[in-house]
Every structure is written in structure tokens, then in C-alpha cells.
Amino acid sequence: MDSFFSVKDLKTCFGRGESSVVAVDGVSFDIDHGKTFALVGESGSGKSVTALSALRLLPPNGRILQGSVLLDGVDLFEYPESQMCQVRGRRIAMIFQDPMTSLNPVMTIGRQISESLNIHASLDDSEVRRRVLDLMNQVEIPAAERRFDEFPHQMSGGQRQRVVIAIALASEPQLLIADEPTTALDVTVQAQILKLLVSIQKFNGMALWLITHDLGIVDEIADKIAVMRRGEIVEQASRDSFFASPQHPYSRKLFEVLPSMEDLHSGAEGSANPLLNVEDFKVYYPIRKGLFKRTVGYVKAVDQVSFSLQKGQTLALVGESGCGKTTLGKGLLHLIPNSGGIVRFDGHSLNDLAADEFRQVRSQMQLIFQDPFSSMNPRLLVGEIIEEGMRTLVTDMSQAERQDRVATLLEQVGLSADVRSRYPHEFSGGQRQRICIARALAVKPRLIVCDEPTSALDVSVQAQIIALLKDLQERDGLSYLFISHDLAVVAEMADYVAVMNQGCIVEMGNAEQVLRTPEQDYTSRLLEAVPKLNRGRAPLNL
């Protein structure tokens, strides 16, 4: 019996002539009704390009050289574009990897979720609104009625990810392609989303093609797994077979580099004087209503937060999406206005500094943004992006010195120095994140606020980045405020852990105490939601 969805001998390249690059090379696999197929592999291996090829959504410089994609036995490559428009969104939907770039910044959330229903379903306006609110509640977007009329920039990264999931599910597709669907989500919401996807599968028999680097998620929900490397599938197996005994050396490597909750980081002793001291820090947003938009209350995004960060140490900030982690990090660096509190950096107050004065300390405090693509200027080359901070903040460096440092930084984060002459859109999500890390390191800061720095990375590159950050900390005495939802990564990186909930720090202590013997029920729930490999199966034989 033929499978519901089949990819056969797919080959895709970018560019033409001698400069062309084969991104997908002879890939074949099948997906059955109601089953979950997981495609795993390192960043840049061709996972996302395979999905974009199947939907014929390649950029202008991409070409499908050979192969077929069969949906119920019909080759989608033979459809005219008008017919493909009826397939996309209705029969096959896709959750894209980067939620910010897949959402329209000038359209409200409600209107964007409504689009698919307006195109593919015969519903009146009130029915569309009711269905949209149901979807928003399904994917756990809080205050759905209010959020309906908000814009993407008003939501956290995790909430934007939930919006694109709602858009994909709106027309109840037969096949859902989920490209890193839980990358930006904290562990509790990740568990909710996975549970939601599985329940929808059971209800309507939807097939799921999951593209991910998270083997914990794969172990939770996949029926069949394929491992991709350098454009080729090197191993295919059932879930049980794959986790019990991976066959290919690269598959075994993926397991070897997985971060573990058991391997708690043992950091160096901090200095007597903290590098960063925060007291009663607040970021409030006014709620305005009525014709004259009078302030009737406040959203307390960060509410009276206090902590200290020692020189050469890492404080991890964890909590659910929307709890205020990113807002706190940006507020401390004056990237958004704060509403009160005291911030001291190396013993000096930052509260009363004018913009020109704060510019003098800017090079010592850098941020790795959560969303790598939207934080880079798409019109600048990668080399120019990394060099930009040095030109502005390190004025005594020559052009040649800046160029040498750019090359060194790119190699440090696992990229070739040659990529300096390419644009951000030419890279995978994980590669873009590495470029952002290089940019943050360029001006030799003393404090780096790391906002989900490994969320878009596969496990092998994630291990490299963790090792790089730890090596830089040991060598240069860097301090990190490490914002993350991945508690296994936190266990490897953090000396201390602060747990945030609804804008407040509800628990704080050394990493071993918080992650092994938490005092708060909320912290315990976060730990219980962490996906665990190999549950109920034989131990891995690696």
C-alpha cells in the first residue's frame, strides 16, 4: 500500500554553474496517515530546504533538479501554481522556524490567524472570530480576547511561536510540517504544544512531519526518524530501534553531545564584589483605554526584581514564555525604558547616566538576541554586521585589525571566515545564531546577556557554543546573564539559577540546589516538564 505522502529521490540546489551548491541530495522517505515522521540533523544539513522544496517555496536562486513529492499518489511537482495554492494551507500546512519573520508586522494577530479561514473555509465574520479565539486558547495564548487585536511585536518570542502554530492548524490540514515548532517555547508550554499536536493527530488523523534538533521531543512523539547530514539521509528507523541502537556514527554523535540535567556545571568562585547588582528593578507598561487613551492600569512585566551577578560567573534566568525574562535583560541594558529600581555595574550606578555617558559602558555590556534574523540588518554583509560594533565602540582599531578579528570570531563560533561576504538570509537559523554570538563577542564585553543563545541550534552545534561560552568565561572572566528555557543547558552553564514567574523572581539559589531540590512548586513543574530520553525503553548501547 502506498504511503499518504512520499518524497522520492529529491535533489535541490542553490545557484547556477560552478557556484551552485547542492543542499538536498537524493532524499527519499514516506509518511503515513496519522503518523509522525521526525527529520533530525545539524543546522544547515538541509532539513528545512527539504520541506520548502516539497511545498515549492524555494527562493529564486533555488532549483529542484530531480525527484517527486507524492500526495495521495499525485506528484505535486506537476501541479500548476494555482493548484498548489489550494494545497498549501488547506491540505499541507507549515509552521516556519522563525515566527517573527513569518508574521506580518503591520497586521493584528487575529487578522493573521483569520486569513487561512477566509481563504479555505466558508464562515461568516462572527464564526471566523470565534474559531480564531478557540485556536488561540488551544495553543495557550493568554488573554485571547485582548491579544486578538495586538501586533506581533507586542508578544514574547514564545507567544509568537504559538500564533504561527494556530495559523497552521486553522484549516485542519492533512499534513502539518512543523519546522522547529517548540524552539522558542519554555518546557511547560512545549509539553502543552506537543500534547496538543498529538491530540489533533488522534482526532483527525493528521500526519506530522517534524523537523527538529531536540531528541527529547523526537522521543516523545515520533513514530519514524530520519537523520540528515550534508543534504543526505544517513539513517532511517523506527523510534524504538533508533533510540535503542543508532547505527550511523553521526547518529551516535548526536547522543554523545546531548546536554544532561545530571551534569551540573561546577563554576569558579566569584569575586567579592559583584559585577552587576540589581535592586527592585521594574518594567511596567501602561494599559490605556477609552477615547482619550487614559492609563487605567499597568502590565507589570518585571516587578521589583533583585539579584547580584559575580564576576566570571553565570546566573541563569528561567521561567515560562512571557514571564519577563527577555524584558528584564533588555531593560538592564537600557534597550527598553525601565520604571524604577537601581542597577550598578562594577560598583557604578547606571541609573542617572545620560545617553552619551551610557554609550561609554555599552561595549562592556552586550546582548545575544533571541531572534537572530530580525536582529540583523538584511542589507549588510555578515562581516559588516560583526564589524559594526567595533567601528562604533572600539574606535582605536584599524580596518585591518577589525577584519582579522571578524575572521577569528567566525572561526570561533564554527563558521568559515569566507562567510563574511554573504547576507543573513543565506544562512540557516542555527548559523544566523552563531553570527549573532560572534557579533556580541566582537567588542570584548565583560557582561553578556544571552537571550536563548542555543535555542535555534542543533545538539552538536549547541555543544560547541556551550563549550565556547565556557572557554571564553574561563579565559577572559566573562559574566553571563543566561536566559533559557532549556534546563539541561542551564545545568551545564549556570553557577546560580533564578526562576521567574509573572514578572517576579520566585526562587533563586545555586544551580544544584534549584535544579535538584527546588523549594517552589512552580520550579518543580518546570523540571517535571523537561523531555526525558529513552523513557520505558532499554538503555542506549553507545
Side-chain angles (χ1 to χ4, degrees):
M1 181 179 175
D2 290 336
S3 298
F4 157 68
F5 183 83
S6 296
V7 174
K8 298 186 181 298
D9 199 25
L10 179 65
K11 188 171 185 177
T12 302
C13 79
F14 290 94
R16 295 184 180 276
E18 294 181 0
S19 62
S20 66
V21 175
V22 176
V24 178
D25 194 0
V27 165
S28 300
F29 58 85
D30 300 318
I31 305 176
D32 296 326
H33 279 290
K35 299 296 184 181
T36 298
F37 169 77
L39 188 61
V40 302
E42 64 187 6
S43 176
S45 63
K47 305 186 302 292
S48 297
V49 175
T50 302
L52 294 174
S53 299
L55 287 177
R56 289 166 48 185
L57 290 175
L58 292 171
N61 65 332
R63 290 182 297 139
I64 297 169
L65 301 179
Q66 67 182 44
S68 59
V69 174
L70 306 179
L71 180 65
D72 277 335
V74 179
D75 190 353
L76 297 183
F77 290 168
E78 296 180 358
Y79 275 6
E81 179 58 25
S82 59
Q83 204 165 351
M84 275 301 298
C85 289
Q86 298 303 312
V87 172
R88 299 188 201 107
R90 181 65 190 93
R91 299 188 66 189
I92 305 176
M94 185 166 181
I95 301 168
F96 291 92
Q97 183 176 357
D98 189 341
M100 194 58 178
T101 55
S102 61
L103 292 172
N104 189 326
V106 298
M107 286 176 62
T108 63
I109 296 303
R111 186 178 168 195
Q112 294 192 61
I113 300 175
S114 303
E115 273 191 314
S116 181
L117 294 171
N118 291 330
I119 295 170
H120 298 295
S122 300
L123 301 173
D124 61 34
D125 289 346
S126 62
E127 290 174 323
V128 168
R129 183 180 178 89
R130 186 163 52 251
R131 172 65 176 149
V132 169
L133 290 173
D134 286 344
L135 285 164
M136 293 174 72
N137 287 322
Q138 272 188 314
V139 297
E140 300 288 336
I141 296 174
E145 284 277 0
R146 176 170 59 85
R147 295 286 192 182
F148 187 94
D149 294 315
E150 290 188 351
F151 294 88
H153 73 272
Q154 295 174 278
M155 309 185 85
S156 70
Q159 289 166 343
R160 288 194 291 264
Q161 188 73 295
R162 282 177 268 184
V163 170
V164 298
I165 291 171
I167 292 171
L169 295 175
S171 296
E172 300 179 351
Q174 296 171 292
L175 171 64
L176 177 63
I177 304 174
D179 190 356
E180 302 283 4
T182 60
T183 291
L185 303 182
D186 58 83
V187 288
T188 53
V189 177
Q190 175 178 284
Q192 295 166 9
I193 293 299
L194 294 177
K195 183 178 179 181
L196 171 65
L197 292 176
V198 170
S199 66
I200 292 172
Q201 266 191 301
K202 291 180 178 178
F203 180 75
N204 62 12
M206 177 185 74
L208 177 62
W209 174 0
L210 179 66
I211 299 170
T212 185
H213 62 262
D214 192 328
L215 292 178
I217 294 175
V218 172
D219 190 36
E220 290 271 350
I221 67 172
D223 298 294
K224 185 180 178 182
I225 298 162
V227 180
M228 198 166 184
R229 187 186 189 205
R230 297 176 182 173
E232 299 179 348
I233 289 179
V234 297
E235 180 172 355
Q236 287 195 60
S238 67
R239 176 185 60 181
D240 290 358
S241 174
F242 179 75
F243 282 96
S245 182
Q247 298 300 305
H248 195 275
Y250 176 69
S251 302
R252 293 171 178 267
K253 178 188 172 186
L254 293 180
F255 285 103
E256 290 168 1
V257 297
L258 277 174
S260 171
M261 290 290 293
E262 303 303 316
D263 299 328
L264 286 169
H265 169 57
S266 178
E269 290 294 325
S271 64
N273 300 316
L275 179 66
L276 181 69
N277 190 64
V278 180
E279 298 177 18
D280 295 328
F281 190 76
K282 295 180 285 188
V283 179
Y284 292 174
Y285 295 110
I287 301 172
R288 295 187 172 92
K289 291 185 177 180
L291 180 63
F292 298 103
K293 299 296 181 182
R294 292 190 175 93
T295 299
V296 297
Y298 292 90
V299 174
K300 297 181 179 181
V302 178
D303 192 15
Q304 295 185 314
V305 165
S306 300
F307 65 87
S308 294
L309 174 57
Q310 300 292 327
K311 296 176 182 178
Q313 290 196 340
T314 300
L315 172 66
L317 198 59
V318 303
E320 292 180 306
S321 175
C323 71
K325 305 187 300 292
T326 296
T327 302
L328 173 59
K330 289 182 178 179
L332 293 174
L333 299 187
H334 287 202
L335 296 178
I336 56 175
N338 61 70
S339 306
I342 299 171
V343 180
R344 294 187 179 90
F345 183 77
D346 203 15
H348 303 288
S349 174
L350 302 183
N351 288 65
D352 302 322
L353 293 183
D356 290 348
E357 295 173 313
F358 191 82
R359 189 184 183 87
Q360 302 302 314
V361 298
R362 173 68 70 189
S363 65
Q364 300 181 56
M365 307 167 68
Q366 289 292 298
L367 173 66
I368 300 170
F369 290 88
Q370 181 177 1
D371 185 346
F373 191 65
S374 63
S375 69
M376 290 189 283
N377 188 330
R379 296 184 178 183
L380 293 182
L381 298 172
V382 163
E384 294 172 327
I385 289 170
I386 298 173
E387 191 182 345
E388 192 172 23
M390 290 184 279
R391 286 200 307 269
T392 306
L393 300 174
V394 191
T395 55
D396 59 346
M397 289 182 72
S398 68
Q399 174 69 18
E401 289 173 326
R402 291 197 299 266
Q403 290 292 316
D404 288 343
R405 180 145 178 81
V406 168
T408 301
L409 287 164
L410 286 169
E411 290 170 358
Q412 277 186 321
V413 298
L415 296 171
S416 166
D418 296 338
V419 306
R420 71 172 76 191
S421 300
R422 293 164 61 184
Y423 290 94
H425 73 269
E426 298 180 69
F427 297 88
S428 69
Q431 290 167 329
R432 287 196 287 261
Q433 190 68 292
R434 282 181 268 178
I435 294 166
C436 288
I437 292 171
R439 176 178 60 183
L441 295 171
V443 293
K444 299 182 179 179
R446 299 171 66 193
L447 168 68
I448 300 181
V449 177
C450 305
D451 190 1
E452 303 282 4
T454 62
S455 65
L457 305 180
D458 58 86
V459 289
S460 57
V461 178
Q462 177 178 272
Q464 295 170 16
I465 294 301
I466 291 172
L468 170 64
L469 292 174
K470 289 165 74 172
D471 178 65
L472 290 167
Q473 185 173 56
E474 184 176 340
R475 189 186 70 195
D476 300 331
L478 286 172
S479 299
Y480 298 128
L481 181 60
F482 195 86
I483 300 169
S484 180
H485 66 263
D486 191 330
L487 296 182
V489 171
V490 167
E492 288 209 16
M493 282 291 301
D495 300 288
Y496 292 88
V497 176
V499 182
M500 277 193 83
N501 186 23
Q502 298 181 349
C504 301
I505 290 180
V506 297
E507 182 167 1
M508 183 161 54
N510 66 62
E512 183 169 9
Q513 179 262 308
V514 173
L515 297 179
R516 288 192 171 157
T517 56
E519 297 178 355
Q520 299 294 319
D521 291 341
Y522 176 74
T523 309
S524 297
R525 289 199 301 273
L526 290 179
L527 292 167
E528 289 166 3
V530 176
K532 297 175 179 64
L533 284 178
N534 208 42
R535 290 185 297 188
R537 284 186 276 280
L540 291 172
N541 181 23
L542 295 179

